[in-house]
Amino acid sequence: MGWFILLSIIALPLLEVAIFVKAVDAIGILPAIAAAVVAGIAGLALWRHQGLQTALRARQTLDRGQMPVAEVFDGMCLLLAGGLLLLPGFMSDVVGLLLLLPPVRALLRHLLARRMVVVGGAAPQRPRGGPTVIEADYTEIVEPGEPPRR
């Protein structure tokens, strides 16, 4: 875990700077800055559109009585994509734009689902075809002069 934190704090920003310097060498400073800004703005517009679509799909799934697992995963990917698009740099923009693509999110969801282990699970199911038991408290109301029923 320590190496991952070290990598993300030191190496990734250095890699972003190196890629930006190479882009400046290739196309110049103003086009490189413009490309980074345009990629960020276009990505954020796509991010907003995808986020609204994901929220609508989650609502439809809930209306059908199902858990919106895929939609929640997509929402987390979109949240990460938005954060990456706000960061300056081409590498973060590329990763953010990739996370905006539904096929990429579906592939990630599939890969992660294969590695997940469900612990606990849902409430135990009653056997099919067996009697339905409803536990309740009740009060018997007896009319005056009428003997109690047994």
Side-chain angles (χ1 to χ4, degrees):
M1 187 65 164
W3 287 104
F4 179 75
I5 292 172
L6 183 66
L7 176 72
S8 62
I9 292 175
I10 295 173
L12 291 178
L14 289 175
L15 187 58
E16 283 280 13
V17 170
I19 292 171
F20 192 79
V21 167
K22 288 289 188 184
V24 168
D25 285 345
I27 61 175
I29 185 76
L30 290 178
I33 291 173
V37 169
V38 167
I41 291 171
L44 288 175
L46 284 169
W47 176 67
R48 181 175 180 223
H49 177 72
Q50 289 285 327
L52 290 174
Q53 281 186 341
T54 301
L56 288 174
R57 280 197 324 272
R59 180 68 188 170
Q60 291 169 349
T61 304
L62 282 172
D63 288 344
R64 288 191 308 265
Q66 299 172 339
M67 292 296 293
V69 177
E71 290 80 6
V72 169
F73 180 80
D74 284 352
M76 290 189 309
C77 286
L78 290 172
L79 185 65
L80 179 60
L84 289 171
L85 290 169
L86 288 175
L87 290 174
F90 292 117
M91 187 177 66
S92 61
D93 285 347
V94 168
V95 174
L97 288 171
L98 285 174
L99 286 174
L100 290 178
L101 300 173
V104 173
R105 292 194 310 262
L107 177 65
L108 285 174
R109 187 172 51 247
H110 176 73
L111 292 174
L112 287 175
R114 287 182 33 199
R115 297 183 55 90
M116 293 184 92
V117 176
V118 177
V119 178
Q125 301 286 324
R126 66 177 173 83
R128 298 223 181 248
T132 301
V133 177
I134 301 174
E135 296 184 26
D137 293 328
Y138 69 95
T139 304
E140 186 173 337
I141 301 175
V142 180
E143 296 291 326
E146 187 178 311
R149 292 180 250 161
R150 292 201 181 249

